[in-house]
Amino acid sequence: MGTWGIGPFESDHACEFGDEIDLALPEMRYAVIEERLVRYLDGGAGHYLRDEAVAAASLVAAQCPGGADALSSGYGPKEPIPELPARLLPLAARALDRVLSDVQGDMDAWARIGRQEKGEQWLDGLERLRVALDPGSPYTVVYTPGPLLPHQIGTRTVHHAFGVDRIRALPGAGEGATGQLVRQITEAAAQLDQAHKDVRSDADYALQRLDAFRVRLQEVALGDGSGEFHPSDVPVFTVPASLGQGMAQRADRHRHLSALIDLYRATTVPAPDGNPRAAAARTRAAAAHSAVGPATSAAVRPTATSAAATPHR
């Protein structure tokens, strides 16, 4: 069984669940969805059942205002789903409440493989689904972001600029023009992270070559080895072309990210203390620095889109 994306049906077992829905009679498809939600809410454990419950919840959300994008990946059921009973709405919302209250392990797994941003997209999608199902009620996200990796200077720059520990917790994320700007900031931070990682790799390689030459030079000076150098043994004592190009690209991406940060500051009205996203970000950040264990966020009110997958099984 494999997972290839962050959408609600972007895994082998979720696709099989979608096939199960397609095989049911049209008037009984609601029962397949309801059974998965009830089984999970009754204490069912395991990633497979959890992800099937998220997929089921996404089908319910797809029939809610603002939830039509839940199946945009195209991996859901192929047959049409008749209008679902209203009683499935609270079941689906409660199922996502349970998922959101226990995402620490998933986010840590994304971090271990260096894909924190994918993990943030996955979590953001779950929150959007939850709001589509029941925009009027609060929910809790239990998640303490781990430390950033050394190369993630772009992400760190944004965190420091706005005092958050999740870029997607910035006020306005997911909403109109400001949401688009936040997505651009997120992408620019990830690009700077990668550029910095590439420069570090090229610099390490160049230093290794110079260190190897130093050792060889010392051997010749001491009379060890095979005497003088052949021209091919002598490295070029300049910055390698790849390193120079990487440094230029890194600088360009840093300027681009800084410009986007300035644009966000200039065009975004400061959020009041009651802003849910800002409150959630502050709560998570405070918990990460002052407490041991997962943080509990305030309610977040993003808009609806797709979600649900984990990086490893």
Side-chain angles (χ1 to χ4, degrees):
M1 292 292 188
T3 297
W4 62 85
I6 58 174
F9 283 94
E10 293 181 358
S11 63
D12 290 343
H13 50 280
C15 279
E16 290 179 0
F17 171 59
D19 292 340
E20 183 179 343
I21 295 173
D22 283 338
L23 291 173
L25 295 173
E27 63 272 18
M28 293 303 296
R29 286 174 188 149
Y30 81 90
V32 180
I33 297 170
E34 185 173 23
E35 186 273 338
R36 285 302 195 283
L37 294 171
V38 170
R39 195 198 309 177
Y40 180 64
L41 289 171
D42 283 347
H47 281 297
Y48 290 178
L49 181 56
R50 194 266 315 258
D51 288 353
E52 288 174 356
V54 171
S58 76
L59 295 174
V60 181
Q63 296 190 359
C64 299
D69 291 339
L71 304 179
S72 59
S73 66
Y75 291 109
K78 303 300 184 291
E79 300 298 325
I81 308 268
E83 183 176 355
L84 297 171
R87 68 174 182 273
L88 297 191
L89 280 170
L91 291 178
R94 284 170 49 208
L96 290 186
D97 285 345
R98 182 182 174 191
V99 174
L100 289 167
S101 69
D102 187 24
V103 296
Q104 188 69 52
D106 299 284
M107 298 304 292
D108 289 345
W110 286 110
R112 282 194 299 272
I113 63 173
R115 303 297 299 277
Q116 290 93 329
E117 175 53 28
K118 279 294 184 183
E120 290 289 347
Q121 292 175 13
W122 171 77
L123 179 56
D124 189 57
L126 289 180
E127 294 182 78
R128 290 166 181 258
L129 282 175
R130 173 58 176 79
V131 170
L133 288 165
D134 188 359
S137 66
Y139 60 89
T140 299
V141 179
V142 180
Y143 161 46
T144 301
L148 296 175
L149 299 175
H151 72 273
Q152 291 184 292
I153 63 166
T155 302
R156 185 176 294 107
T157 296
V158 179
H159 288 183
H160 288 172
F162 299 112
V164 298
D165 57 5
R166 289 180 66 199
I167 298 178
R168 292 172 181 273
L170 288 173
E175 303 164 6
T178 303
Q180 178 63 29
L181 180 55
V182 172
R183 287 190 288 274
Q184 291 176 355
I185 291 174
T186 301
E187 182 178 355
Q191 289 176 345
L192 179 54
D193 291 345
Q194 185 61 49
H196 186 71
K197 183 178 181 180
D198 292 342
V199 167
R200 286 183 51 168
S201 178
D202 287 342
D204 287 344
Y205 176 69
L207 290 173
Q208 288 172 7
R209 289 189 64 205
L210 287 173
D211 191 58
F213 175 75
R214 180 193 61 79
V215 172
R216 179 82 175 90
L217 185 63
Q218 186 176 25
E219 290 176 349
V220 171
L222 294 175
D224 299 329
S226 58
E228 290 302 318
F229 295 99
H230 185 276
S232 63
D233 295 329
V234 183
V236 178
F237 287 98
T238 60
V239 174
S242 61
L243 179 55
Q245 293 168 359
M247 291 174 67
Q249 184 179 63
R250 179 194 180 283
D252 183 63
R253 290 184 172 175
H254 187 275
R255 285 192 295 270
H256 178 57
L257 177 60
S258 297
L260 289 174
I261 290 174
D262 291 341
L263 179 61
Y264 180 89
R265 284 172 169 157
T267 59
T268 304
V269 177
D273 289 342
N275 179 276
R277 275 189 178 274
R282 287 194 296 271
T283 302
R284 291 189 180 97
H289 288 88
S290 64
V292 176
T296 301
S297 78
V300 184
R301 302 288 176 82
T303 56
T305 189
S306 64
T310 51
H312 288 302
R313 292 288 179 260

